[in-house]
């Protein structure tokens, strides 16, 4: 989960760089580095689980801080950001549940090889994600299809010689 959140925060870094707000990025690093280190140290008395929980909490806090500042630069609201991500997140959670269930069934009730279980989990993940995107997020999928089609058309027209 933390890896997913950290990947979202790279968007903020791109915003800082592309809008010339590198000083803001520097000040955030001055806050995030000791906070992250402090979280790791604070979690040490509870072992690896304590470190993971403390690191996750620090990462979530820093993600929201980063996004809030970056979106403020773009004059966007955090609520609008979440509204755009809600449907893909719902599709992702649906896929995760389906894959978890397939994995549990193949381990608990079927004696399949690891390779076959892996193949079933991947296949069920792809199918369930595509189904949930079609069900929950058809508008964004249509927009993506339109953009890809326009890009392909534009490239094919640009590569033809007169």
């Amino acid at each position: 989960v933390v890896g997913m959140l950290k990947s979202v925060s790279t968007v903020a870094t791109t915003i800082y760089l592309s809008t010339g707000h590198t000083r803001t990025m520097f000040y955030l690093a001055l806050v995030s580095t000791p906070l992250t280190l402090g979280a790791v140290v604070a979690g040490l008395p509870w072992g690896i689980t304590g470190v993971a929980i403390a690191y996750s909490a620090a990462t979530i806090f820093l993600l929201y801080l980063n996004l809030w500042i970056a979106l403020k630069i773009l004059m966007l609201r955090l609520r609008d950001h979440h509204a755009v991500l809600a449907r893909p997140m719902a599709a992702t959670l649906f896929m995760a549940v389906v894959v978890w269930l397939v994995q549990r069934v193949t381990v608990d009730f079927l004696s399949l090889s690891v390779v076959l279980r892996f193949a079933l989990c991947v296949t069920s993940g792809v199918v369930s994600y595509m189904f949930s995107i079609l069900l929950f997020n058809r508008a964004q999928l249509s927009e993506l299809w339109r953009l890809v089609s326009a890009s392909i058309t534009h490239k094919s027209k640009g590569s033809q010689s007169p």
Side-chain angles (χ1 to χ4, degrees):
V1 173
V2 171
M4 179 184 70
L5 295 177
K6 284 202 139 319
S7 70
V8 171
S9 71
T10 60
V11 171
T13 302
T14 305
I15 292 168
Y16 299 139
L17 292 173
S18 64
T19 58
H21 286 84
T22 54
R23 183 173 296 206
T24 303
M25 199 167 76
F26 172 73
Y27 290 133
L28 279 167
L30 289 178
V31 170
S32 67
T33 302
L35 183 69
T36 303
L37 184 58
V40 170
V41 171
L44 283 174
W46 294 276
I48 191 70
T49 303
V51 170
I53 291 169
Y55 180 75
S56 297
T59 299
I60 291 168
F61 171 76
L62 291 169
L63 169 71
Y64 273 93
L65 178 64
N66 237 332
L67 279 176
W68 179 70
I69 293 170
L71 293 173
K72 193 172 181 180
I73 290 168
L74 298 177
M75 293 181 275
L76 295 172
R77 295 179 306 193
L78 201 54
R79 180 179 27 186
D80 297 333
H81 176 265
H82 287 346
V84 169
L85 292 181
R87 290 176 184 221
M89 183 61 76
T92 302
L93 290 174
F94 176 74
M95 177 200 65
V97 169
V98 168
V99 170
W100 180 80
L101 287 171
V102 167
Q103 194 268 343
R104 291 296 348 136
V105 166
T106 58
V107 167
D108 294 343
F109 302 110
L110 305 172
S111 54
L112 301 174
S113 71
V114 172
V115 173
L116 189 53
R117 283 195 324 248
F118 176 73
L120 283 172
C121 286
V122 169
T123 303
S124 66
V126 169
V127 169
S128 63
Y129 190 76
M130 291 306 294
F131 172 75
S132 61
I133 286 292
L134 287 171
L135 188 65
F136 298 125
N137 208 13
R138 191 175 303 241
Q140 285 181 343
L141 187 62
S142 297
E143 178 68 10
L144 178 63
W145 181 257
R146 188 189 64 73
L147 290 170
V148 169
S149 297
S151 175
I152 291 170
T153 304
H154 179 70
K155 285 182 183 179
S156 66
K157 286 182 181 178
S159 63
Q160 295 174 351
S161 57

